[in-house]
Amino acid sequence: LLPMGLLVSTVLVGIVIWVSRQRLSPEKELAIAIRRREFVVHYQPIIDLSNGRCVAAEALLRWRRPDGRWIRPDLFIPLAEDTGLISPLTDLLIERVIEDQAELLRADRGLHISINISARDLESGRFLPVLSDAVARSGIEPSQIWIEATEQGFIRAEIAASAIKAARAAGHMVAIDDFGTGYSSLSLLQGLPLDALKIDKSFVEAIATDAATSVVTPHIIDMAHGLKLRIIAEGVETREQEAYLRAAGVPLAQGWLYSRALPAAEFAAFRQGRNAE
Ligand code: C2E
Ligand code: CA
Ligand code: CA
Ligand code: CA
């Protein structure tokens, strides 16, 4: 009897230890977090370089764990993209942005919020009816929501072109994000019905240095002008970079020189202070 009891209790203890060591897979954890809506959106101001006013913000997702830890989007967005969880995450993003910003957007038709749409979203096209519905219900203008799509979204060019056309037909401005960091060719860019181009911060960093990329930056700007694309420069950190961009005819900029991404209420206060000057 004794050895049998020992065996049973050993097995039981073993099971308890095994269960306690089983961590949920990252994918499972993310799926649960989406269901529990553990995400907030922070807003990074976008500045009109001609007058210094805040005319827009980029919506950036933040995962806030129940234990209070914050998880950066570069850690969970790629996982969401690989597992198909990006679609419910994008739905949640749209819902949060409208919830946070509808009042401000209705009060100021000159204000815009830019949202990031993944390649997977662009291909499935499912985000657009969700967005259109949310926009219509909230009484804001479709033109007040901008869409940022990364170059990866454009690799399958025909799909991308029709998704971009549909988004523009619904009234949104569409920008290519992180331009120059991916694989997109100039011919691809030329064939897409885009409105704007975001210069990646690596090209802004290179301004006024002798890095090889600093040679490329003026060409990106020239090319965007040539293609009649609006330009938004990201990662602007110094007055020197700002002055360069303004002189080069870049109309819009965002970066730590102006502000980091802020919670909704702090963004509203930032904008009010900035535009009252
Ligand atoms: P991104 O679209 O290139 O976003 C800009 C990133 O640069 C943000 O990082 C922002 O905080 C950071 N940044 C802005 N200004 C400066 C600056 O002056 N200096 C420096 N060093 N960094 C600056 P964040 O918020 O960590 O976002 C990382 C990436 O996560 C984003 O890169 C975007 O690709 C992705 N992401 C964020 N939110 C979403 C979302 O809602 N949906 C999707 N699909 N992707 C998102
Ligand atoms: Ca972006
Ligand atoms: Ca970007
Ligand atoms: Ca970037």
Side-chain angles (χ1 to χ4, degrees), residues 96-170:
R96 285 264 187 269
V97 165
I98 299 293
E99 211 172 79
D100 289 345
Q101 302 293 345
E103 204 182 316
L104 215 56
L105 289 166
R106 279 195 300 266
D108 180 356
R109 298 295 180 181
L111 179 66
H112 309 84
I113 303 291
S114 199
I115 62 173
N116 291 284
I117 293 296
S118 289
R120 288 278 287 260
D121 294 322
L122 210 60
E123 283 197 7
S124 81
R126 234 184 48 76
F127 78 96
L128 192 57
V130 174
L131 179 60
S132 297
D133 185 55
V135 163
R137 273 187 289 115
S138 65
I140 66 173
E141 296 291 336
S143 61
Q144 292 182 282
I145 304 292
W146 295 346
I147 291 167
E148 300 185 12
T150 51
E151 291 173 276
Q152 288 132 8
F154 303 133
I155 289 170
R156 291 163 71 179
E158 323 81 71
I159 299 170
S162 67
I164 295 166
K165 276 191 199 120
R168 295 183 73 205

Side-chain angles (χ1 to χ4, degrees), residues 41-42 44 58-62 72-78 81 86 89-90 93 97 115-119 121 148 150 177-178 198 200-201 205 234-238 241 254-261:
V41 179
H42 286 182
Q44 186 174 40
E58 178 175 1
L60 295 161
L61 269 172
R62 302 287 179 253
R72 298 171 31 165
D74 14 344
L75 294 176
F76 64 83
I77 296 284
E81 286 170 345
I86 192 68
L89 195 55
T90 297
L93 167 78
V97 165
I115 62 173
N116 291 284
I117 293 296
S118 289
D121 294 322
E148 300 185 12
T150 51
D177 200 3
D178 295 342
K198 291 194 83 168
D200 185 64
K201 64 172 175 282
E205 252 164 48
E234 66 177 34
V236 179
E237 292 182 353
T238 69
Q241 292 164 348
Q254 83 189 77
W256 294 348
L257 177 61
Y258 313 104
S259 173
R260 302 206 177 211

Side-chain angles (χ1 to χ4, degrees), residues 160-187:
S162 67
I164 295 166
K165 276 191 199 120
R168 295 183 73 205
H172 304 290
M173 184 189 91
V174 181
I176 182 169
D177 200 3
D178 295 342
F179 183 75
T181 61
Y183 309 98
S184 65
S185 63
L186 295 184
S187 58

